[in-house]
Amino acid sequence: MADDLPISIAERRLDNVPNYPDRHEPVGFMLRLVKALHTYGVPSYELEQLMANVADQLEYGLQTTVVPTSITMTFIQDEDKPRTYVIRSNAGEVNVDKLSRTIDVAYAVINGEMTTEQGARELTDISNSEPLHNRYWMIFCFMLVSVAISRIFGGGVEEIITASVTGLVVGVFVNIEGFRTETVANLMPALAAFLATMISFGFNYWFGLSSTYIPVVSGIIVLIPGMMLTIAMAELATQNLVSGTARLLGSGVIFIQMIFGVSIGTQIAAALFGDADITTSIDHQLPSWTVWIAITASSWALMMLFQTRSRHFLWILAGACASFFVSRWVGEHLGLASGAFFGALTIGVIANIAYRIKQVPTAAVMMPGFIILVPGSVGFKSLTELLEHDIIGGLETAFNMSIVGISLITGLLVSSIATLPKPKIKPAPIEVDEERND
């Protein structure tokens, strides 16, 4: 049973820590709020500002330092001596629904619409609520994303079929409880890359592929830390140097694990199937309009994977389509970096409009679009080129990845999405059960 698995220190509930402030006290509430926001993936530059606003409302002085693996908070009130708390915490699975509900709680407290006691109860309900979409849907969506990304990257029929098998196998390993122990989770990037490589070379041996690279990167695209890399660069750009550096190194380690998996998979595939090399040629076998079908399918699947509510799908699709079109069109005329900048600017503006009009969480719109825009797949390609001893090509690709990443961050900052906008109305109550896929 999953409940019998050992719980790491980072996942330990603060209620189980001896002598910690009660969750109904203002300090206890803020400690649990900051851990929840950190777990759901709020960047440091947003999290520190949001918590400062909460503390101001509760008449506490607060200094917060957030890094990817821990949170340090110092509280000051009246003549009391400062009290400092350190929380060990890692980012958990992406869950846009829980993230948006937690942010609603924070703003309700800031606006004086909710007490800390009520907020603490809401946080407990959010934490204990079941995911909107169950793991069987997650496995299917892993496969669907792999198929769609394979087409977006220019794959033909053979590559798409191979990517579907790769995405299905990786989805099973990521979502089945038996493989979700802490040790296996830490090795999942390498394991997923190994499986994807073996499947790709196996299909290449039996059926012949124009590109063995496309099925590999399509099968593991959800695990590639492109969003983590982008957030790292955003934190560096906003002078959160410790957090940005740590996150940047963390994404680098994940890339290295994946390349290790590809390396082992390539050597074993060579022993089983003969000569095995990562090939990146693209054979356009399908009409261009199928790309838009792929974008639609990937937007829906990523909405499910990120635990976003179905009623936000049209905004998600609009953001993905518009940013993809703008980035491709501008990229063809002005270059890759300009395409990334205007693509990020477009999706940031659409996300902000969606929030202002319908209170759609900005993360719900931006994250699916960023799967296509972020330089994660470019970074993976850079390391595979280094693996194939193409030093010049690998360094050139890595440099292009850095330029694309900087362009994305600049586009986001310009679109005013670097900080969380303050709601102008009281957040509507969320009925969790009405859209859950069981």
Side-chain angles (χ1 to χ4, degrees):
M1 297 293 291
D3 294 338
D4 297 330
L5 296 176
I7 299 176
S8 67
I9 294 296
E11 297 173 336
R12 188 182 185 186
R13 297 178 65 90
L14 297 185
D15 292 340
N16 298 329
V17 178
N19 303 318
Y20 236 64
D22 186 86
R23 64 169 43 248
H24 299 294
E25 299 175 6
V27 171
F29 165 74
M30 285 188 281
L31 290 171
R32 288 158 178 83
L33 175 63
V34 74
K35 184 176 182 181
L37 292 169
H38 185 266
T39 299
Y40 299 141
V42 177
S44 298
Y45 53 85
E46 294 182 352
L47 182 54
E48 293 175 4
Q49 181 60 53
L50 183 59
M51 291 308 303
N53 293 337
V54 173
D56 288 344
Q57 172 65 25
L58 299 177
E59 299 181 348
Y60 277 82
L62 176 64
Q63 290 292 317
T64 306
T65 301
V66 179
V67 296
T69 56
S70 68
I71 307 163
T72 303
M73 303 181 73
T74 299
F75 297 92
I76 306 172
Q77 187 182 38
D78 299 331
E79 300 299 325
D80 293 345
K81 293 182 179 180
R83 290 181 290 170
T84 299
Y85 298 88
V86 178
I87 303 173
R88 178 69 172 88
S89 176
N90 289 336
E93 294 182 355
V94 176
N95 192 313
V96 173
D97 178 57
K98 289 187 177 182
L99 170 61
S100 63
R101 292 167 64 191
T102 304
I103 291 176
D104 284 347
V105 171
Y107 279 121
V109 173
I110 292 172
N111 297 334
E113 299 161 350
M114 183 180 292
T115 65
T116 57
E117 291 83 359
Q118 294 171 326
R121 286 195 294 270
E122 287 292 328
L123 292 180
T124 301
D125 292 341
I126 294 170
S127 177
N128 294 334
S129 63
E130 294 292 329
L132 289 176
H133 316 297
N134 66 30
R135 298 205 178 277
Y136 296 105
W137 278 106
M138 299 299 99
I139 294 173
F140 172 74
C141 289
F142 256 88
M143 181 180 70
L144 186 58
V145 167
S146 299
V147 169
I149 295 298
S150 177
R151 177 63 193 96
I152 292 172
F153 285 175
V157 174
E158 293 84 0
E159 287 76 27
I160 290 175
I161 294 174
T162 306
S164 68
V165 176
T166 302
L168 178 62
V169 173
V170 173
V172 169
F173 271 82
V174 171
N175 289 281
I176 296 302
E177 291 292 345
F179 300 104
R180 293 174 62 79
T181 64
E182 184 176 4
T183 301
V184 175
N186 292 333
L187 296 175
M188 187 57 70
L191 178 60
F194 169 78
L195 293 172
T197 303
M198 291 295 296
I199 294 171
S200 182
F201 282 125
F203 273 74
N204 182 55
Y205 176 77
W206 289 312
F207 306 108
L209 301 177
S210 298
S211 171
T212 54
Y213 169 79
I214 289 177
V216 173
V217 72
S218 299
I220 61 176
I221 188 69
V222 178
L223 302 180
I224 290 178
M227 194 67 183
M228 181 179 180
L229 180 63
T230 304
I231 292 175
M233 299 183 73
E235 290 177 338
L236 291 173
T238 54
Q239 298 302 305
N240 288 269
L241 303 181
V242 175
S243 180
T245 302
R247 209 179 295 269
L248 186 64
L249 291 175
S251 62
V253 170
I254 295 176
F255 275 125
I256 292 172
Q257 285 191 52
M258 289 182 168
I259 296 306
F260 175 78
V262 171
S263 176
I264 298 299
T266 301
Q267 294 178 25
I268 296 178
L272 295 176
F273 309 121
D275 186 33
D277 293 312
I278 291 286
T279 57
T280 58
S281 61
I282 297 176
D283 184 10
H284 295 281
Q285 303 178 16
L286 299 175
S288 58
W289 54 265
T290 57
V291 171
W292 299 104
I293 296 178
I295 292 175
T296 302
S298 64
S299 298
W300 181 84
L302 290 168
M303 176 192 72
M304 303 287 284
L305 288 173
F306 294 149
Q307 299 293 334
T308 305
R309 293 185 172 271
S310 301
R311 63 173 176 265
H312 302 322
F313 173 67
L314 291 180
W315 286 104
I316 295 171
L317 180 61
C321 289
S323 62
F324 179 81
F325 173 78
V326 169
S327 64
R328 287 294 177 93
W329 188 84
V330 174
E332 290 175 358
H333 291 81
L334 300 178
L336 185 63
S338 297
F341 169 79
F342 284 101
L345 178 62
T346 300
I347 199 168
V349 169
I350 292 176
N352 201 18
I353 292 173
Y355 182 86
R356 294 294 182 179
I357 295 177
K358 289 291 186 179
Q359 281 69 56
V360 179
T362 55
V365 178
M366 287 196 298
M367 292 180 68
F370 261 59
I371 290 291
I372 300 174
L373 293 178
V374 292
S377 60
V378 182
F380 184 80
K381 183 178 180 180
S382 169
L383 292 175
T384 56
E385 288 175 343
L386 293 175
L387 182 66
E388 295 294 323
H389 304 291
D390 183 4
I391 306 300
I392 302 300
L395 293 177
E396 181 180 359
T397 306
F399 178 77
N400 291 335
M401 177 194 69
S402 301
I403 297 299
V404 169
I406 294 171
S407 301
L408 289 170
I409 296 309
T410 306
L412 279 183
L413 294 175
V414 171
S415 67
S416 302
I417 303 300
T419 58
L420 295 169
K422 181 177 180 180
K424 293 184 178 180
I425 63 174
K426 184 176 181 178
I430 296 175
E431 298 179 7
V432 178
D433 293 331
E434 64 180 6
E435 295 184 15
R436 181 173 296 126
N437 289 316
D438 297 325

